[in-house]
Amino acid sequence: MAPRKLAAGNWKMNGDLASLTEIDQLCKAHPEPGCDMLICPPALLVYPMVASAQTHALMVGGQDCHAKESGAHTGDISAAQLRDAGADYVILGHSERRADHGETNADVAAKAAAAHQAGLIAIICVGETEAQRDAGETLSVIGDQIAGSLPERSDSANTVIAYEPVWAIGTGRTPTNEQIAEVHGFIRRQLDGRTGDAVNLRLLYGGSVKPVNAAEIFAIPNVDGALVGGASLKAADFGGIVAALEAAG
Ligand code: PEP
């Protein structure tokens, strides 16, 4: 059976305890969502968000984790600590972490292996820069990221891939439907032949998804949901995207 579609929100370095009212509103508007509904807040808000979402169908995730389980790594948090706080998911290899922290595909794979070990579902992000797209390198960049960032035992139960063109993140620009379909189809083919049922894992599109363009994006083949930045901060906006995904079936 195909896994449920996923609407995932990435709050990045936004939000505080007062923002949990948005979670309350989101859960009240979608008490039994017809898709998986996830918010990844800053690490400090994971535990309080889990506590306030307890009676609702909202899952909570981290935005990064260390590859080691514990130790002398000041400022970092481990996958096991995220799990202990109640997280179900962790975003890994977001383009902002690849750019700001120099994360390589090998780093992402090591973190994803740690996430799997801790019982977290890893959302592994891939995507080309504008210069790479202009140079015709999109599929080779994505192919390298998929080959290098997924650990051995990645399957549909422990891994999600988010295709996020770097030039579409936070810019209001989105690829054409054909461009999204081309990359998602390419990723699906890359996963074919890997061990387990990797070919069935969920592929999210991310980059300037809003309530107004969500339905069109969800109608594209091989799009199993979205990873949403800016539009995940407000319950009404994210709820609109959840509703579009529910309608897409
Ligand atoms: C993101 O950063 O993962 C993202 C998709 O951001 P936005 O929706 O704001 O473009």
Side-chain angles (χ1 to χ4, degrees):
M1 199 177 74
R4 269 155 64 92
K5 299 205 167 161
L6 172 63
N10 173 11
W11 278 17
K12 311 192 184 192
M13 200 170 69
N14 297 297
D16 53 21
L17 288 171
S19 318
L20 295 178
T21 56
E22 297 294 332
I23 294 309
D24 224 45
Q25 286 173 36
L26 180 67
C27 292
K28 281 191 179 121
H30 299 272
E32 291 178 24
C35 61
D36 285 347
M37 197 166 72
L38 166 73
I39 296 288
C40 300
L44 276 173
L45 294 180
V46 166
Y47 183 72
M49 190 175 284
V50 168
S52 71
Q54 229 169 38
T55 57
H56 307 293
L58 177 78
M59 287 175 285
V60 180
Q63 298 175 9
D64 178 49
C65 70
H66 198 279
K68 296 261 167 60
E69 202 175 322
S70 61
H73 301 289
T74 302
D76 283 313
I77 54 171
S78 72
Q81 288 169 325
L82 277 174
R83 190 75 184 129
D84 187 50
D88 290 303
Y89 283 79
V90 61
I91 298 171
L92 294 172
H94 190 281
S95 60
E96 288 153 15
R97 295 225 40 108
R98 290 180 188 261
D100 297 352
H101 300 270
E103 288 188 7
T104 64
N105 292 333
D107 294 330
V108 177
K111 289 177 178 209
H116 294 165
Q117 181 69 28
L120 293 172
I121 299 172
I123 301 179
I124 297 178
C125 302
V126 299
E128 80 286 3
T129 62
E130 187 156 31
Q132 288 165 335
R133 176 162 283 277
D134 289 346
E137 294 168 0
T138 298
L139 297 186
S140 68
V141 167
I142 306 285
D144 288 348
Q145 290 174 332
I146 297 287
S149 304
L150 268 68
E152 274 283 290
R153 277 181 279 280
S154 300
D155 61 28
S156 68
N158 64 22
T159 304
V160 173
I161 292 176
Y163 167 54
E164 300 205 301
V166 179
W167 50 275
I169 293 177
T171 60
R173 297 166 59 202
T174 52
T176 64
N177 294 352
E178 291 71 27
Q179 287 171 328
I180 296 174
E182 180 190 32
V183 174
H184 279 235
F186 173 76
I187 295 173
R188 190 70 78 202
R189 289 193 298 281
Q190 293 299 107
L191 295 171
D192 196 6
R194 285 188 70 108
T195 51
D197 71 341
V199 71
N200 294 321
L201 61 82
R202 290 174 290 183
L203 306 184
L204 311 184
Y205 168 75
S208 297
V209 179
K210 316 270 179 228
V212 71
N213 61 13
E216 192 178 338
I217 290 169
F218 295 148
I220 300 170
N222 287 308
V223 173
D224 304 311
L227 180 55
V228 183
S232 70
L233 295 171
K234 291 285 166 215
D237 292 339
F238 194 63
I241 293 167
V242 168
L245 191 52
E246 287 172 324

